Amino acid sequence: MNTTELLESGNAHNSPSYAPAPVILERGEGVRVWDTEGREYLDFLAGIAVNSLGYAHPALTKALQRQVGELMHVSNMFFTKPQIELMDLLCERSFGDRVFLCNSGAEANETALKLARRYQKAVKGDEDRVEFITFKQSFHGRTFAAITATGQPKYHKGFEPMLPGFTYATFNDLASVEALISERTAAVMVEPIQGEGGVRPADPEFLKGLREICDRFGALLIFDEVQCGIGRTGTLFAYEGYGVAPDIMTLAKGLGGGVPIGACVATEEAFKGFERGSHATTFGGNPLASTAALCVLETVESENLQENAIARGNQLMDGLGKLANGSPTIVEVRGKGLMVGVECVEGAAGEIVGLCRERGLLVNVAGPSTVRFVPPLVVRAEDVQSALGIFEESLHEWEAKQNPSKQVG
Ligand SMILES: Cc1ncc(COP(=O)(O)O)c(C=O)c1O
């Protein structure tokens, strides 16, 4: 099939819940991907913050090829070495003592919510502590509990009724949490940097305050690091950059570098909520996914990708900040490390993303009007420079279209 036929077939059979761009990506290397027509793209979307090591990283390719030939799956009836080593490394590097390995961000969040409820009931003996506080503009995934936790009505639409017991506070507003929290609150769940809601970093005082409020009320604190974790914000886990540790943390996306994996990491105390049979998943922590995650974690450390995330993130933010100066389109540039958002005036973000793609730069829209940049952590200074150039041209083209009397800058 040629590209046109492939697109026709894809659109005929794909779930109508997706609307992919009219290109078919075929192969990648580093920060670049190529489509079936041979067009090259600089990928600052990275599979939505997933491809932390970029494409075809030699260490990951080699580790996976070896593992495929040895063992891909055995179920959780048995241990495997990669799974044990991964859990060990996650616990050694984080506040956590135990890990539940699973397959996605939504599943990691389901695990966290189930763990918190069961902890309050089974360990604390408090049958009434069943409620959760999450935040407006948050995103936690697409399963029923995860969409209920997601504080954006558009994800609930048509799926109601949502699960009972969830209320939504305002991000970066401790008073709104104080107003909702009670002796019935099992846990508070928050993204240290909101991703899908429009790339919004938490204020350090906000996360510190959440810790204090949770401790005061006996609620568990859950950090959803599915998007912001694994070196992206300059520390292996985003919470380290804030100096506030949660009781439970969820990971996915960047952890597997492209191989699906999720993890719910928690303290020994929180994990007292689970006993044999409480929770399980067939593929969780299988040796193939665990090998990928181990390799990602080791490579993030051996190649100093956390430092790279800070340096390249600063470069990107500086460049975007300069473009924002005097731009009638850019409302705000914000982010942390290599998780950067450019909030635009209404109606601009989607079109600018399309213009960027035509020029060979992949980015996407997060929230109602924010262009999101989440490139692989291996991105180099010259890649950032090129991406800034393409974004600037696309921005100016969009601005010229709004005001046709002006020349494209
Ligand atoms: C913060 C956050 N949590 C959870 C999820 C859901 O992850 P998944 O799509 O792997 O289920 C996402 C996905 O974008 C996310 O950004």
Side-chain angles (χ1 to χ4, degrees):
M1 281 196 267
N2 63 29
T3 299
T4 310
E5 290 162 345
L6 281 168
L7 283 170
E8 263 173 32
S9 176
N11 286 324
H13 300 299
N14 198 10
S15 161
S17 55
Y18 287 117
V23 296
I24 298 171
L25 298 178
E26 198 164 45
R27 74 188 168 87
E29 198 181 318
V31 185
R32 287 179 169 73
V33 278
W34 286 265
D35 69 14
T36 44
E37 298 295 296
R39 271 186 304 240
E40 180 179 309
Y41 302 88
L42 194 50
D43 187 2
F44 272 50
L45 180 56
I48 321 184
V50 165
N51 304 321
S52 17
L53 305 186
Y55 295 94
H57 190 289
L60 186 55
T61 305
K62 196 169 153 213
L64 287 171
Q65 281 172 342
R66 194 206 59 231
Q67 192 59 42
V68 165
E70 282 178 10
L71 206 58
M72 284 205 282
H73 180 79
V74 296
S75 90
N76 280 298
M77 304 285 174
F78 304 94
F79 273 131
T80 66
K81 246 170 86 179
Q83 170 209 16
I84 293 173
E85 286 171 9
L86 173 61
M87 295 190 298
D88 187 55
L89 191 56
L90 284 171
C91 292
E92 198 181 297
R93 294 289 187 271
S94 77
F95 68 93
D97 301 306
R98 290 183 182 271
V99 185
F100 181 91
L101 291 171
C102 54
N103 308 286
S104 69
E107 197 188 0
N109 285 334
E110 287 280 339
T111 305
L113 295 167
K114 286 178 74 177
L115 183 60
R117 232 186 219 178
R118 224 167 173 284
Y119 172 80
Q120 301 293 5
K121 288 182 187 228
V123 181
K124 292 296 189 185
D126 195 343
E127 284 293 322
D128 293 329
R129 250 191 209 271
V130 295
E131 294 180 359
F132 297 104
I133 297 173
T134 63
F135 292 87
K136 291 173 191 159
Q137 295 167 318
S138 62
F139 185 82
H140 299 293
R142 301 294 196 123
T143 60
F144 257 113
I147 52 167
T148 308
T150 294
Q152 300 191 58
K154 69 175 182 185
Y155 293 107
H156 300 176
K157 203 165 168 263
F159 295 109
E160 300 90 346
M162 293 294 105
L163 297 188
F166 285 77
T167 53
Y168 311 97
T170 303
F171 193 63
N172 277 335
D173 178 356
L174 288 172
S176 74
V177 181
E178 294 271 10
L180 293 175
I181 200 160
S182 75
E183 310 295 307
R184 294 178 55 84
T185 307
V188 174
M189 180 153 87
V190 67
E191 295 157 84
I193 294 134
Q194 288 190 332
E196 302 304 304
V199 189
R200 293 166 205 281
D203 298 333
E205 290 316 308
F206 175 63
L207 293 189
K208 287 196 182 90
L210 279 186
R211 180 72 273 176
E212 187 277 318
I213 296 173
C214 284
D215 290 346
R216 182 153 37 93
F217 278 86
L220 294 178
L221 181 59
I222 304 170
F223 282 174
D224 177 343
E225 294 217 10
V226 166
Q227 188 161 151
C228 61
I230 317 300
R232 182 156 291 284
T233 65
T235 47
L236 191 56
F237 305 109
Y239 78 82
E240 297 173 277
Y242 282 96
V244 182
D247 302 291
I248 304 175
M249 166 175 72
T250 56
L251 302 168
K253 287 190 181 280
L255 178 60
V259 177
I261 187 167
C264 176
V265 179
T267 58
E268 186 70 42
E269 176 66 13
F271 259 114
K272 285 182 186 159
F274 279 174
E275 59 189 15
R276 187 176 174 174
S278 300
H279 193 53
T281 182
T282 298
F283 292 112
N286 90 9
L288 187 67
S290 293
T291 294
L294 254 182
C295 178
V296 167
L297 291 172
E298 284 166 2
T299 309
V300 165
E301 292 189 345
S302 66
E303 294 189 5
N304 296 324
L305 297 183
Q306 292 150 247
E307 286 98 282
N308 195 51
I310 296 174
R312 301 287 68 85
N314 287 342
Q315 183 192 353
L316 184 58
M317 292 262 282
D318 284 353
L320 293 169
K322 285 192 188 117
L323 287 182
N325 265 338
S327 161
T329 313
I330 299 180
V331 177
E332 191 184 18
V333 176
R334 54 179 179 249
K336 201 164 188 224
L338 284 174
M339 195 169 166
V340 175
V342 178
E343 187 177 329
C344 299
V345 294
E346 209 185 313
E351 289 191 27
I352 293 171
V353 163
L355 294 171
C356 285
R357 192 181 67 241
E358 282 169 19
R359 289 184 158 81
L361 172 68
L362 302 184
V363 285
N364 85 329
V365 182
S369 53
T370 299
V371 180
R372 169 173 48 186
F373 296 75
V374 279
L377 307 183
V378 294
V379 69
R380 297 163 310 169
E382 54 267 40
D383 303 322
V384 173
Q385 217 41 53
S386 305
L388 284 167
I390 297 176
F391 183 76
E392 180 173 10
E393 284 171 21
S394 307
L395 176 71
H396 288 165
E397 183 180 339
W398 189 82
E399 286 174 351
K401 270 201 241 162
Q402 310 314 299
N403 188 356
S405 61
K406 275 195 182 174
Q407 279 291 305
V408 176

